[in-house]
Amino acid sequence: MASHLDSNVIPPSRQREVPRQGMTWIGQSIKRVEDPRILSGKGGYIDDITVPGMAHAAMVRSPHAHARIVSIDTSKAKDLPGVIGVYTGEDLATVVDPCPSFASPPVPQHAMSIGKVRHVGEVVAAVVAEDRYIAEDAADLIEVEWDVLPANVDIEASLEATGDAVIHPDDRESNSALDQTFAFGPVEQHFAEADHVIKRRLRWNRSSAQAIETCGVVADYDAFKGGYTIHANTNFYNFIPFVIGGSLRVSPGELRIIPVLAGGSFGSKVFIHKIIILTAGLARLAGVPVKYIEDRMEHFMNSDSHGSDRLYDAELAVMEDGTFRSLRFTVLDDYGAYLQFGVGTHGNAMAQVTGPYQIESVGMRVIAVLTNKCQQGPYRGFGSEVTNWVIERMVDATAEELGRDGVELREQNMVQPDQFPYMIPTGNIYDSGNFQEVLAQAKGLIDYDAWKARAAEMRTEGRCVGVGLATCMERSVYGPTEWWSLNDKEAPGFTLTSTPEGISARIDPSGKMFVTLNSPMVGNSPETVVTQILAERLTVAPEDVVINYADSQTGFNGVGPQGSRFTAMIAGACVSASIKLEERLLRFAAHMLQRRPDDLELRNGAVGVKGLKDQEKSFGEIALTSSFFRLSFPDTEEFDSGLETTAVYDHPISSDPHPDREHLGIFYPIVGHICHIVAVEVDPGTGKVDILDYAAVHDNGTIVNPRTLGGQVWGGTANGIGSTLFEQFIYDDEGQFTNPNFAEFAMPTANEMPRNFKLGHVETPSPFTEYGIKGGGEGGRLGAPSALTTAIEDALKTYGVKINSLPVTPPTLRGLIRERELAITAE
Amino acid sequence: MKPAKFEYSRPDDLPTVLALLADQEDARILAGGQSLVPMMNFRIAQPAALIDINRVPGLDYIRMEGDVIAIGALARHADIQRSPVIQSNIPIMTEAYDWVAHSAVRNRGTLCGNLCHADPASEMPALMQLLEAQMVVASHTGQREVPAADFFTGTYETALEPDEMLTEVRIAKPAAGTGWRFEEVSMRKGDFAWAACAAMLRLEAGQIAMPRVAVAGVGDAPMRLDAVEAILTGQAPSEDLFQTAAQTGADAIDPPETPAASAAYRKDLVRTLLPRVLSTAAERAE
Amino acid sequence: MDKIEVSLTVNGRTRAALVSPRMLLSDFIRHELALPGTHVGCEHGVCGSCNVLVDGKAVRSCLMFAVQTDGAQITTIEGFGDGDLDPIQTAFWEEHGLQCGFCTPGMLASAKELLDHNPDPSDEEIREAISGNLCRCTGYEYIINAIRSAAAKLRAADPAAA
């Protein structure tokens, strides 16, 4: 291990529940607890919330990418019957302060523009009216006079912008928001020693999650009732009230955020504080509760959740025998007009930047570029989907230049099973894994060798058939240093180091176990996994577990589902709560059974005497007695009534970044591994890609519920297929967003998905999390793009097509083929 | 995304529809609404009045009248797609319907409404050109027939006057032995075409007779490719002939350049699809 | 324009209301009839979340005006099970045919229409039937499994229909 990592010591494991075979509930594909109410139409999404006296907001959006607001005439809108109020950015600023920013230095952003707009779709005025129809009528009557400024669209050109084209001239002289260089290990030396340096320029274009439900808020302000009551479909409701409260000029005690079931997030609902602040401010100004649900165009244009948009100049230093030595790159990332979380997506990618390979050092220069587009937010992968693709592209490029088989080259450089926990040059660790077994299983599932032979034979018949294989990492359970570790060391920003997850649990006198979560459901399966884990640990029957969600005032620590953290984190909280509850159960039962606690055990929802089948008290009996018959127990504090507890679980294993950023510490260490293999046929005349066969094997440690994990893998793979073949936000030269709708932003339908999807799992437990669970919410999108890209190149081998940019939509791919056709003809 | 206000009427008979159409400023017919209502939701379209024809009885027919298939103003895509009359007499129409939107849209959407919307990337307008359909256009003053070739005048533009309504489409049954094929390339199945090619032809003594070729998605309006038809006429089908036809077809069009798909790409598609549709049509010809 | 009176049957119950002509059927169902199970995802007729059955046919409720449904029979997700989950809903539960559940009401409407007319659909027919319903969570595979399973359940319950 390189010396720059000497200071990065792996702390001892705090795992309490060791992984084991044959568990009762963990590992079962039980039907989801969440589903019956959702299937009957009673899910309770944000637009289902109705508050007495509620009015509705509609927005006036900027038609320009970059413009000064000369004047706004709201008089006609105000006169429209049914309109309660019309407000501009200046009006809103009388009750709210700018949005929170985790960037350092911050890029100022208002929930409603003041003076200037910086991307198409930015809100410049709002109407609050009796219904949405009237609100939209009034919004159409608002007249805005603009002074149009030069738009920055191209990622490289934006860095050269001067004068009026500078997007935040009061804060920054250029459109470069951050430019930092890092060397993790002796990068220069390794490149100097290398026999080959493989270079590629790689482009990953912008898209976003586009959950089928947009973001929305219902906000009410009542100074006499204690401030704001806000319903919102955020992932993040127990973690950010204090920053939202800052913008709303209230203490968290005057801010109650109530979660709702969110209709999909994939990261896109993590940062929705802007519309929370906007809607809350409107409610305060209008003096009525206000509902604002983004329409689909608004969600495309203004939801602050666009995904990565990067240009890499990457180099891999390789020895003659194919050994990888070092990886370095310069990356420009088009973050749009604001920078709400700094370059957190690059911090994230540093968790697994070397992929499953042994690479001794990593060098990076990251430049955050501001342009006149909606700003970035999280999208399934949070930046690591791009680096996964980059490293796999570099491996394929190396195989080609060295004349090696790509799979063999991967196997040669892979981390070996006896090397875990394995520390990569950035300081993050891979806790456990068996990459070779995953690869073997994937090859077996799809009969890789037979497919390779068949594809080669089909190519000799003139068909463009190819096979692609990718071996990728799936980091899970994020640590928050990823947000700021790449910031300027002199101005690190908000150096947050906690990402706790909490739970409260109570066994009531009926024997039911009431559990309260502090994170919302966004399409994951929080109630199901909590039910399974508590059933496992406490031996309760799953049907006796009842789950609810706290709001931001009744709840406590919770960060929510993001970064594939929730299952592993809530498992920790469940175990902590179970330990505390078990102690109380045993104490009360010991008294009731006249035994010592040590003689007792939990079994089938009861506390029984070890070795004596008929001597036991059910949880219900214990709870009933402990709740209602206080005088049956000693008059000491430890017998205070009731069976309830709260528990908080902190990150399983993390450490601080090195002060000089020689490394970034351990921050994303619960790491899964995936192998995707796909066979495709390309129609060279149209550029259409037909997926013939698909296998995915994921190692997510101990699996809680195979079927729900399968759903995550499948869904993530669908997102990855979309990111590879179909989905791209296209801005024209003026910064107009040309396809902000579901007809033109082409997310896969059932018709576009592979017919022969084969799913497999390897279970290499984590030594650090309870039961060895790892996260698994992002893997599909972390693997599919690489495998598909390789497969398409393989299919087009005879043309010599190289794919250096995603997505490869049919027109794009046909363009690449056309170039090669012309070149071949010219030869 | 809510529509702006409009006057609404729901007449029970066609004369009233046509009278209202003549009387009201900026009135639009509401049939299936599958093109109009999205545009109203975006407020791209803000008609002052909608005349809902869904309660007018007797407009939803799909029937043979001698050698002509007549399709009424309220015949829905889904019913036409499944119609035995269409399947047995105009099989290319059934085939093309496989590319038209998705089932819930086809359940409501009408052929006539689709044609009046005149999206140049839509399948049915091109098919009507191929089939040389007659468009029966009515107003309060009377009725006229417009050949499909004259009906589609531009992007979202037709030969309809503001007081006119497309009440019926009349399609002559293709001659026995006609071979046919419809193919399309779009981003996803069901999306509007980047390019669609349709062909019908007959073989007489081994030579192509009466070839018809139409394309969508590659111009301001769907169109017939006369130059391609001229090349094919009287020739024996062959791969070389179809390749020549393909190049001629690609040269004959001036496709739009859009952010998602270049003009060069659309030409490539025509070059790729034409030989495919022609060879299948030739195989199917008797 | 003045509101217009409509009377229709929704989930077996007669409902009468005064509606503005421009009121979308989706908004009418959700906010006037207080049946929030029908979801609005795009309001431009692509995502299919708002699909409901109008006179037995799956339609986009964001592309119809409420006023057009005077006299119609409408079934929404709330009307599927009569107090319990019906066989299609049950199959979605058993086969993990939903994650966030937002597209589910529209999926169920499309599935119900398919199975009403085709008791033993092929997988390709199922795909085609739901191809106008976008789901961002599942990748569709488990939805297809669910509809296949529902078809089998329905056939088993009513062999005559198959």
Side-chain angles (χ1 to χ4, degrees), chain A residues 227-241:
Chain A
Y228 286 106
T229 304
I230 293 170
H231 295 78
N233 54 5
T234 165
N235 287 43
F236 219 11
Y237 73 92
N238 254 327
F239 201 59
I240 51 163

Side-chain angles (χ1 to χ4, degrees), chain A residues 312-334:
Chain A
Y312 279 86
D313 282 300
E315 297 178 296
L316 189 64
V318 185
M319 306 311 290
E320 190 60 42
D321 71 349
T323 303
F324 304 158
R325 287 302 301 281
S326 182
L327 170 71
R328 71 182 173 197
F329 53 81
T330 294
V331 55
L332 309 186
D333 201 338
D334 177 348

Side-chain angles (χ1 to χ4, degrees), chain A residues 32 45 133 137 209 727 748, chain C residues 22 27 93 99-100 136 140:
Chain A
R32 292 207 314 174
Y45 300 86
Y133 291 78
D137 292 344
E727 300 172 15
Chain C
R22 65 169 165 167
D27 285 333
W93 190 19
Q99 289 178 31
C100 83
R136 202 58 162 161
Y140 305 102

Side-chain angles (χ1 to χ4, degrees), chain C residues 64-126:
Chain C
M64 277 188 82
F65 299 106
V67 66
Q68 294 183 274
T69 61
D70 189 28
Q73 298 265 352
I74 290 181
T75 305
T76 70
I77 189 172
E78 290 91 342
F80 266 54
D82 198 22
D84 203 349
L85 300 182
D86 89 337
I88 306 177
Q89 291 166 310
T90 303
F92 269 66
W93 190 19
E94 292 170 348
E95 299 291 335
H96 192 34
L98 66 152
Q99 289 178 31
C100 83
F102 202 78
C103 75
T104 308
M107 284 285 179
L108 291 171
S110 294
K112 183 163 174 54
E113 185 192 30
L114 170 71
L115 299 181
D116 281 349
H117 297 98
N118 184 354
D120 192 8
S122 68
D123 280 9
E124 283 306 307
E125 287 170 328
I126 296 172

